[in-house]
Amino acid sequence: MALTEPTPGTAALNSGVPAFFDSRQELERLYPSRHATPDGFAAWAYLPLIASGRPVGTCVLAYPEQHPFPADERAVLTSLGGLIAQALERALLYDAKNQLAHGLQAALLPHTLPPLPGIEAAARYLPATRGMEIGGDFYDLVASEGLAAVIGDVQGHNVTAAGLMGQIRTAVRAYTTVGQAPAEVMRSTNRLLIDLGSELFASCLYLRLDPARGTAVMARAGHPPPLLRRPDGRVRVLDLAGGPLLGIDADAVYPTTEVALAPGSVLALYTDGLIESPGVDIEDALAELGQRLAAAGDLPLEELADELVRHSAAAQERNDDVALLLLRAREPGAR
């Protein structure tokens, strides 16, 4: 109802003064229209909820029988209204922060994956289930001036980490577009992160894809190694040589490794939140991920992504956010 309506609830909210009615007769004497909507109660307390100097609502306590409100009880109920107002204000603030977090995360990650000739792709992102549900995990595909894929993880789970993630993702796209080689893309991104003066560091895995030759050139900065599922169903861990984390050493060198991508093979790129879980050995979790990838057969890539996420350590309560990027080499001429 509008705040201009002549009701005890709006009067308490507008004035900031609690109102107590120990009988229906007293309520109807001051608010004659109130009897038109009987609710079966016989006494009421209307408590304005004032937080940080502004009204946020009204709490109404109704009693089935007539109920006198002595001074000490009125003081207790007034204090209760103050506590409820503070709790409601915190809840509204949490909702606002949560909406900000989701909006920022959605804005920084790709809305869709661009089509790549000769490559099928699928991606998933899962926020952490604790805190602000925002983090620094990211993925991206670049379809101009050389096909490239990147996945990374910025230290931290807050707005600062997410903002830095957006800068790194933009930098990788820019360096790829101007034609830098994979190792140079990593070196340039590393120098940029250091020049920004951030105290955070990041892991990253960068791939330059060549579907025509059936190869991918990879550079890695402290990132979990990818998994390669071959057309025969076997899965192996690509334990690539890599450089240090981004943002630590300005002179870091990032060696590259070329791997074969036969038609039908699948590359699984992921952040550590997919396999890390309290009490679970990281090697066991990685082996289990490989087994699920091997057993998945020729599932469509979108279904495969759902399957890997559904049965991973990330399916439970997550202390970390998760990014997953799957790439499948198509048969020559396939769309």
Side-chain angles (χ1 to χ4, degrees):
M1 67 177 64
L3 290 179
T4 55
E5 290 291 325
T7 68
T10 56
L13 186 60
N14 288 326
S15 66
V17 179
F20 302 93
F21 303 92
D22 57 17
S23 67
R24 175 174 288 276
Q25 291 76 17
E26 183 180 0
L27 178 65
E28 293 178 354
R29 180 174 58 83
L30 294 176
Y31 298 94
S33 62
R34 186 67 173 79
H35 72 277
T37 56
D39 52 16
F41 292 100
W44 298 263
Y46 291 85
L47 309 176
L49 305 181
I50 310 297
S52 300
R54 63 183 183 88
V56 295
T58 301
C59 175
V60 183
L61 302 180
Y63 299 77
E65 299 176 354
Q66 292 188 12
H67 182 85
F69 295 94
D72 58 345
E73 184 173 350
R74 294 187 180 207
V76 170
L77 292 178
T78 300
S79 298
L80 176 63
L83 295 175
I84 294 173
Q86 292 176 17
L88 180 58
E89 183 183 43
R90 286 195 295 268
L92 294 174
L93 180 60
Y94 176 83
D95 286 343
K97 288 183 176 180
N98 205 32
Q99 293 175 4
L100 170 64
H102 282 287
L104 178 60
Q105 193 77 63
L108 294 176
L109 290 172
H111 296 292
T112 59
L113 296 178
L116 301 181
I119 297 291
E120 181 185 359
R124 294 292 182 272
Y125 176 82
L126 299 177
T129 55
R130 293 183 179 180
M132 286 189 66
E133 299 188 354
I134 191 170
D137 288 14
F138 68 98
Y139 60 84
D140 201 4
L141 291 181
V142 183
S144 60
E145 299 300 328
L147 309 181
V150 61
I151 189 168
D153 182 0
V154 178
Q155 174 196 14
H157 309 99
N158 49 44
V159 174
T160 302
L164 188 61
M165 173 264 282
Q167 291 176 302
I168 293 176
R169 179 183 164 221
T170 301
V172 170
R173 291 185 68 89
Y175 296 138
T176 300
T177 302
V178 299
Q180 289 191 358
E184 189 58 32
V185 169
M186 295 293 278
R187 285 195 294 268
S188 298
T189 305
N190 176 56
R191 287 193 295 268
L192 172 67
L193 189 55
I194 292 175
D195 290 343
L196 290 174
S198 172
E199 296 181 355
L200 302 179
F201 54 81
S203 66
C204 187
L205 177 66
Y206 180 88
L207 296 82
R208 184 64 56 83
L209 301 163
D210 189 347
R213 294 180 55 233
T215 60
V217 177
M218 304 186 184
R220 183 163 68 99
H223 198 77
L227 297 178
L228 174 65
R229 181 185 183 276
R230 302 186 307 196
D232 60 8
R234 295 184 180 182
V235 176
R236 68 187 182 98
V237 179
L238 298 179
D239 192 10
L240 313 172
L245 292 164
L246 302 176
I248 295 178
D249 179 8
D251 298 320
V253 176
Y254 298 92
T256 58
T257 303
E258 183 176 289
V259 296
L261 284 182
S265 58
V266 176
L267 270 174
L269 317 177
Y270 54 92
T271 55
D272 50 11
L274 185 70
I275 57 174
E276 287 187 353
S277 180
V280 178
D281 183 80
I282 190 70
E283 296 296 334
D284 293 340
L286 185 58
E288 181 179 353
L289 179 63
Q291 291 170 3
R292 295 198 180 280
L293 185 60
D298 295 324
L299 283 176
L301 216 55
E302 293 290 341
E303 294 182 21
L304 177 57
D306 289 335
E307 180 73 11
L308 295 182
V309 168
R310 185 182 304 116
H311 296 287
S312 69
Q316 310 302 321
E317 183 174 314
R318 295 183 299 278
N319 296 322
D320 196 1
D321 51 337
V322 175
L324 171 68
L325 179 60
L326 299 179
L327 304 172
R328 173 180 281 156
R330 294 192 177 102
E331 296 287 343
R335 294 185 177 182

